[in-house]
Amino acid sequence: MSANDSPSGQQTTTSASHDAARAATHDSAFLKACRREPVPHTPVWFMRQAGRSLPEYLKVREGIAMLDSCMMPELVTEITLQPVRRHKVDAAIYFSDIVVPLKAIGIDLDIKPGVGPVIAEPVRTRADLARLRDLTPEDVPYVTEAIGMLTAELGATPLIGFAGAPFTLASYLVEGGPSRSHERTKAMMYGDPRLWADLVDRLAEITGAFLKVQIEAGASAVQLFDSWVGALAPADYRASVLPASAKVFDTVAPYGVPRIHFGVGTGELLGLMGEAGADVVGVDWRVPLDEAARRVGPGKALQGNLDPAVLFAPTPAVEAKTRELLDQAAGLEGHIFNLGHGVMPSMDPDALTRLVAHVHEQTAR
């Protein structure tokens, strides 16, 4: 794909600096692992690596609301770079939040400390779908600007873009906020399947557009977070979720960047999540990597999956559990070391730094 041609054949604003960034990161350990190619060492990055576990993050975020911080390119750049500087991870992940594209298209929401995203007017009827308009690059200029700044700073270190998957975004919209039981979500999915299908399809279009903005700005890979989809049985996932997730992956497929899919509590869904179109399937800590590989099947790399709580144990215990995980990963087609979920706010940053160094040392080839 040329610098000026989008996958649809239309002219884009993709810059020469974007092409340079893609070229610089092509042979990185992270992207090689995504492509299931031989690597110099097992690459490492952590979900939520940029965040409250870092004192430098708390300092720069002081007094700034979460959603406001996501719209400040200089601040996004600094926060995204912090864990790369400190931990020497093999990839950066763009600092944002999964509800940013919803906010960008005019949904009235806020991220309340200690609660999470709260939707002022939940989406529960067909009339409510009209509020979910198309997302355009003009809605998120701060994303394009921040990624341009980041790729210039990161050099050969890849930047991962990301978005929330249609099911998880739909759940926030329908429930009005975080939920343990997802009763309103499931009530719509089972009780009005046509409305549900139209809702997640609409969200797939918005999510795909948001990921395209990130890729065209210079992201080297993308991850689709389906944080809540572990609440579903496989049959419900296949019928009511997989088509929308597949639509997102199909939207960005022509760009040729690796596509990662991750959910929590998704041990029974791993094969289906790979089937949706991911090149890399993220695994939480509940399923051993060798068993996860069996469930996913051939042709996919795996990402994961150290239990985040292990990092609170003494270093020898962390290294022992890491060794177990690396042994499980020994026969995988491709492996990216990560936690089975995100970095916890109370985690010692030095423990993460030591873990990165340990994985690199243990897997150097």
Side-chain angles (χ1 to χ4, degrees):
M1 186 173 67
S2 75
N4 296 316
D5 293 324
S6 73
S8 62
Q10 296 173 335
Q11 294 297 102
T12 74
T13 57
T14 305
S15 65
S17 60
H18 164 213
D19 286 348
R22 292 282 295 277
T25 61
H26 183 269
D27 290 328
S28 63
F30 170 75
L31 290 179
K32 280 178 173 286
C34 289
R35 297 192 300 261
R36 295 176 285 122
E37 297 172 359
V39 291
H41 59 263
T42 297
V44 187
W45 73 278
F46 304 117
M47 290 176 282
R48 295 182 185 156
Q49 63 188 17
R52 291 173 292 172
S53 66
L54 300 179
E56 56 265 42
Y57 169 85
L58 296 174
K59 182 177 180 180
V60 298
R61 268 287 317 279
E62 189 173 2
I64 304 174
M66 177 62 188
L67 281 173
D68 290 341
S69 70
C70 295
M71 301 174 190
M72 302 168 66
E74 293 85 359
L75 183 59
V76 168
T77 299
E78 168 60 22
I79 292 172
T80 302
L81 291 171
Q82 286 175 349
V84 179
R85 296 190 198 112
R86 180 187 275 262
H87 304 314
K88 305 296 189 290
V89 286
D90 293 280
I93 184 162
Y94 183 71
F95 175 76
S96 187
D97 189 272
I98 64 170
V99 297
V100 163
L102 299 180
K103 182 75 171 180
I105 62 169
I107 298 299
D108 187 358
L109 62 86
D110 194 16
I111 299 176
K112 296 192 176 181
V115 178
V118 176
I119 312 297
E121 297 179 62
V123 173
R124 293 174 183 164
T125 69
R126 182 158 295 279
D128 292 330
L129 292 183
R131 290 189 276 132
L132 299 175
R133 67 167 177 80
D134 291 343
L135 181 139
T136 70
E138 290 71 32
D139 292 317
V140 287
Y142 44 85
V143 172
T144 299
E145 184 178 351
I147 291 180
M149 296 168 67
L150 277 164
T151 53
E153 291 283 341
L154 285 166
T157 301
L159 176 67
I160 305 168
F162 79 91
F167 175 82
T168 292
L169 292 179
S171 291
Y172 275 115
L173 288 170
V174 174
E175 302 288 343
S179 172
R180 290 181 181 273
S181 56
H182 312 285
E183 65 267 23
R184 291 182 181 272
T185 303
K186 292 183 178 182
M188 181 187 291
M189 191 171 72
Y190 300 137
D192 195 341
R194 179 164 292 184
L195 175 59
W196 171 261
D198 289 346
L199 172 59
V200 291
D201 185 73
R202 194 79 192 88
L203 290 169
E205 293 175 355
I206 293 165
T207 299
F210 189 55
L211 290 178
K212 285 172 65 175
V213 169
Q214 295 176 65
I215 295 168
E216 292 188 357
S220 297
V222 291
Q223 176 159 308
L224 194 65
F225 283 90
D226 216 345
S227 308
W228 290 1
V229 79
L232 296 183
D236 291 330
Y237 179 93
R238 179 177 289 282
S240 303
V241 175
L242 192 152
S245 294
K247 183 172 184 174
V248 175
F249 286 125
D250 288 346
T251 297
V252 299
Y255 289 94
V257 304
R259 299 158 297 171
I260 310 169
H261 203 3
F262 174 77
V264 184
T266 53
E268 298 301 319
L269 305 178
L270 290 173
L272 291 168
M273 291 177 72
E275 192 177 316
D279 304 296
V280 183
V281 177
V283 185
D284 75 11
W285 68 93
R286 297 170 178 87
V287 181
L289 284 178
D290 48 2
E291 171 60 17
R294 187 190 69 76
R295 297 183 187 187
V296 171
K300 310 285 183 184
L302 295 188
Q303 178 176 278
N305 67 336
L306 188 70
D307 185 342
V310 169
L311 271 295
F312 292 93
T315 299
V318 175
E319 292 182 352
K321 295 299 289 184
T322 300
R323 183 71 264 163
E324 289 177 19
L325 191 158
L326 293 173
D327 288 344
Q328 294 167 9
L332 300 183
E333 296 182 61
H335 176 226
I336 299 154
F337 190 100
N338 207 313
L339 303 180
H341 199 194
V343 171
M344 299 179 187
S346 56
M347 200 170 280
D348 177 7
D350 291 342
L352 292 166
T353 304
R354 289 193 297 269
L355 178 58
V356 175
H358 182 69
V359 173
H360 286 170
E361 291 165 5
Q362 293 297 307
T363 61
R365 293 165 175 83

